[in-house]
Amino acid sequence: MLWSLLVFGAALITVNAKLPTPRTPPQVIFQSSVSLENIAVRASSDLLLTSFTSPILFTFNPKSTNGTLAPVHTFSNATTLTGITEYRPGVFAVLSSGLSATTSTMNLGSVFLWSVDFNARAPAVSVLGALPGSSGANGITTVPGHPNILLVADSFVGAIWQLDIATGAARLAIQDPALSAGAPPPAVGVNGIHVRDGYLYFTTSQTAVFGRVAFHVEGGNVSAAGAVQTLASLGDGQQPDDFVFDCERRAWVTVHPGELAVLEAPGHGSAGGWTQVAAVGNAAGSDADLVAPTSAKFGRGSEVEDKTLYVTTGAGQIVKIDSSEYN
Ligand SMILES: *[C@@H]1O[C@H](CO)[C@@H](O)[C@H](O)[C@H]1NC(C)=O
Ligand SMILES: *[C@@H]1O[C@H](CO)[C@@H](O)[C@H](O)[C@H]1NC(C)=O
Ligand SMILES: *[C@@H]1O[C@H](CO)[C@@H](O)[C@H](O)[C@H]1NC(C)=O
């Protein structure tokens, strides 16, 4: 989430000259009245959606004609839901919090991590733990090989929290100036986070970075195992939010005000930053079909769905994109 949705005009530094033109344009499949913040996809292919301005977890069937958002659960004592991730088959972790109207940060003590289990006949909701020191709980990720650890990006503390879901214990796992906004709230530091191959990949919004940090897990504790690396610097005014990796190891990064940037690592063994190889929408934010994109996930359940990207936006859009059009 970006607390401030400021609109600038700028471009990514490294853009390939030839960007493909899609034959199937992105399609807004739903316009919600609440802003949309984060997305998960169930094995059934139904979408699970959180909103920064609602305590309700919603579901949406992307295959329905004229579908609507259906409430799954309303979290008590919350104004806001942020990150959501599937941490066991059919079981999702969701962050809830209470936002202060005066400081636009989350009230200390209001951040909880919940489990929503769809394996039962009706979704079973229980608390996994709390993050009492968090004021900006945002993106969330699992850690492959460590089923009891969930990592949460804190956009205002400028750090990564770890929550042990077996004990409910929370601790600061990684804190680094590179994860901070470098400016007071509502400027947003670390935002989206995802683990791949022993690295925690992240975006920072205010400083417009896509980066990573190696980490290790010792005695159940996550800590950095190297310096934080910048992989791509987006241009002035571009504010990256959540992202997703595809099976070709490209990162699809949602970028405010209005772009989905596709970033690719340099060729095997070569050094240097990641390159932007495609874009949906544009850096100026003038595409009415992609307004303040917040997160992206691939569909599930068929070969076509595996290549279909669902993007949420702060303007309440669910945008369906055929990712194979951008190869
Ligand atoms: C969907 O909505 C449109 C516009 O309101 C309507 O014309 C169409 O019949 C609806 N389709 C279904 C399957 O309900
Ligand atoms: C809601 O928050 C208030 C104030 O922090 C607290 O006293 C109360 O116990 C909470 N209620 C629930 C159901 O968590
Ligand atoms: C893990 O971290 C906690 C809290 O930061 C600390 O008390 C504990 O000793 C650590 N465990 C190990 C094995 O380092």
Side-chain angles (χ1 to χ4, degrees), residues 5-158:
L5 301 175
L6 304 174
V7 179
F8 302 87
L12 198 90
I13 310 176
T14 47
V15 181
N16 273 3
K18 282 192 217 157
L19 295 180
T21 309
R23 287 162 306 218
T24 311
Q27 188 194 352
V28 177
I29 58 169
F30 187 71
Q31 173 65 61
S32 136
S33 58
V34 292
S35 74
L36 296 174
E37 163 63 8
N38 211 233
I39 182 170
V41 181
R42 293 179 58 196
S44 65
S45 85
D46 285 344
L47 313 182
L48 295 174
L49 302 154
T50 65
S51 170
F52 200 72
T53 54
S54 167
I56 304 173
L57 176 66
F58 295 102
T59 185
F60 181 80
N61 176 356
K63 292 174 183 161
S64 62
T65 316
N66 301 347
T68 57
L69 293 189
V72 174
H73 183 77
T74 302
F75 292 89
S76 56
N77 260 11
T79 60
T80 296
L81 303 182
T82 48
I84 180 168
T85 190
E86 186 173 26
Y87 71 98
R88 302 228 163 108
V91 193
F92 295 79
V94 181
L95 284 163
S96 78
S97 57
L99 204 64
S100 157
T102 51
T103 64
S104 53
T105 61
M106 293 166 181
N107 293 314
L108 286 178
S110 77
V111 178
F112 288 90
L113 188 64
W114 300 86
S115 171
V116 183
D117 185 350
F118 285 89
N119 296 317
R121 218 165 0 146
V125 179
S126 58
V127 73
L128 290 170
L131 292 172
S134 176
S135 58
N138 200 331
I140 186 169
T141 182
T142 55
V143 181
H146 299 277
N148 287 333
I149 298 177
L150 289 171
L151 299 179
V152 174
D154 193 314
S155 299
F156 294 143
V157 173

Side-chain angles (χ1 to χ4, degrees), residues 98-307:
L99 204 64
S100 157
T102 51
T103 64
S104 53
T105 61
M106 293 166 181
N107 293 314
L108 286 178
S110 77
V111 178
F112 288 90
L113 188 64
W114 300 86
S115 171
V116 183
D117 185 350
F118 285 89
N119 296 317
R121 218 165 0 146
V125 179
S126 58
V127 73
L128 290 170
L131 292 172
S134 176
S135 58
N138 200 331
I140 186 169
T141 182
T142 55
V143 181
H146 299 277
N148 287 333
I149 298 177
L150 289 171
L151 299 179
V152 174
D154 193 314
S155 299
F156 294 143
V157 173
I160 309 297
W161 296 95
Q162 110 170 54
L163 205 130
D164 182 328
I165 62 171
T167 63
R171 60 180 285 276
L172 265 184
I174 302 172
Q175 188 160 26
D176 190 286
L179 302 176
S180 134
V188 169
V190 64
N191 191 330
I193 51 171
H194 296 284
V195 168
R196 207 187 64 180
D197 301 337
Y199 288 94
L200 180 79
Y201 287 80
F202 65 86
T203 58
T204 53
S205 299
Q206 177 72 16
T207 54
V209 163
F210 174 71
R212 71 179 184 184
V213 56
F215 68 93
H216 50 207
V217 186
E218 273 171 16
N221 285 353
V222 172
S223 56
V228 176
Q229 297 173 267
T230 293
L231 300 171
S233 284
L234 309 183
D236 274 355
Q238 302 298 292
Q239 301 198 60
D241 202 321
D242 201 7
F243 60 96
V244 66
F245 286 109
D246 66 15
C247 54
E248 292 155 53
R249 308 168 72 80
R250 302 181 301 179
W252 295 70
V253 186
T254 60
V255 186
H256 300 239
E259 187 173 75
L260 182 67
V262 190
L263 304 182
E264 194 169 74
H268 188 67
S270 47
W274 290 38
T275 308
Q276 184 175 2
V277 291
V280 185
N282 61 64
S286 64
D287 185 341
D289 287 347
L290 196 70
V291 178
T294 49
S295 63
K297 277 285 179 332
F298 285 95
R300 291 169 73 177
S302 72
E303 243 173 78
V304 170
E305 281 297 307
D306 288 353
K307 297 264 179 200

